[in-house]
Amino acid sequence: DIQMTQSPSSLSASVGDRVTITCRASQGISNYLAWFQQKPGKAPKSLIYAASSLQSGVPSKFSGSGSGTDFTLTISSLQPEDFATYYCQQYNSYPPTFGPGTKVDIK
Amino acid sequence: QVQLVQSGAEVKKPGASVKVSCKASGYTFTSYGISWVRQAPGQGLEWMGWISAYNGNTNYAQKLQGRVTMTTDTSTSTAYMELRSLRSDDTAVYYCARMVPTLDYYYYYMDVWGKGTTVTVSS
């Protein structure tokens, strides 16, 4: 199975900050990577697929980049509604695997 | 709009079975797949498997092989996930998610998620 790691595991940031989360795959996955946002007690919400394509309705403050083994999710200007846990997931090969998550909370 | 509506919370005893439903609306059901993902309390996301609503083909996580069955009813646009021989560590929120094919129909990614079904396994 492909192992996904994320860094940092958690971060504290202020409203308006630019935030970057890193995701690394244990082997190359081309650009078959998705990002999800999850708030406490809620279902995950899809943000990005194909490493950099925004899902419909997702604001442009979210952006993704990367290919191969190293990927990033960037939030350009953090807003109160963005405080959540973010997961990456590879769908290059079965089984699809998720990263352990990065919790973004308020400084 | 695209929606996945899941069945309600369940409480089961160890050794029992549970069947969770996921009713789709707002799109052509047979043009996509459905994945099932679970999340134990305080833990991350675990992919359980997926089913093609087009032809019923399935792919299950190895650790659940033999205990899980995923099916669809195209007449009602509903997907089902049955988990048998329940154990305490099956206690989790179970999500269904729509699987979108890439242009070559070889890769699939999740887009819309259901709200989740809490399954509690306790004696």
Side-chain angles (χ1 to χ4, degrees), chain A residues 14-89:
Chain A
S14 301
V15 172
D17 283 353
R18 180 182 180 89
V19 167
T20 298
I21 298 168
T22 297
C23 175
R24 177 164 289 173
S26 61
Q27 63 190 73
I29 59 170
S30 185
N31 68 334
Y32 298 111
L33 184 101
W35 288 96
F36 304 95
Q37 175 195 66
Q38 188 178 35
K39 297 179 181 178
K42 300 295 186 183
K45 175 186 176 182
S46 301
L47 298 177
I48 285 171
Y49 66 97
S52 60
S53 297
L54 284 183
Q55 290 281 3
S56 175
V58 173
S60 59
K61 62 181 172 182
F62 291 97
S63 63
S65 65
S67 184
T69 60
D70 295 316
F71 303 85
T72 59
L73 172 70
T74 299
I75 309 171
S76 60
S77 177
L78 204 64
Q79 296 303 304
E81 63 270 20
D82 302 328
F83 291 96
T85 299
Y86 293 85
Y87 295 92
C88 61
Q89 179 238 332

Side-chain angles (χ1 to χ4, degrees), chain A residues 1 32 34 36 38 41-46 48-50 55 87 89 91-100, chain B residues 35 37 39 43-47 50 59 61-62 95 99 102 104 106-116:
Chain A
D1 297 3
Y32 298 111
F36 304 95
Q38 188 178 35
K42 300 295 186 183
K45 175 186 176 182
S46 301
I48 285 171
Y49 66 97
Q55 290 281 3
Y87 295 92
Q89 179 238 332
Y91 54 97
N92 178 79
S93 63
Y94 283 96
T97 44
F98 291 89
Chain B
S35 256
V37 175
Q39 186 171 39
Q43 302 301 308
L45 301 169
E46 178 188 15
W47 179 80
W50 86 289
N59 192 320
Q62 189 169 12
Y95 297 102
M99 295 290 279
T102 54
D104 57 9
Y106 192 76
Y107 300 95
Y108 290 78
Y109 58 90
M110 302 173 201
D111 65 347
V112 176
W113 293 64
K115 292 188 176 181

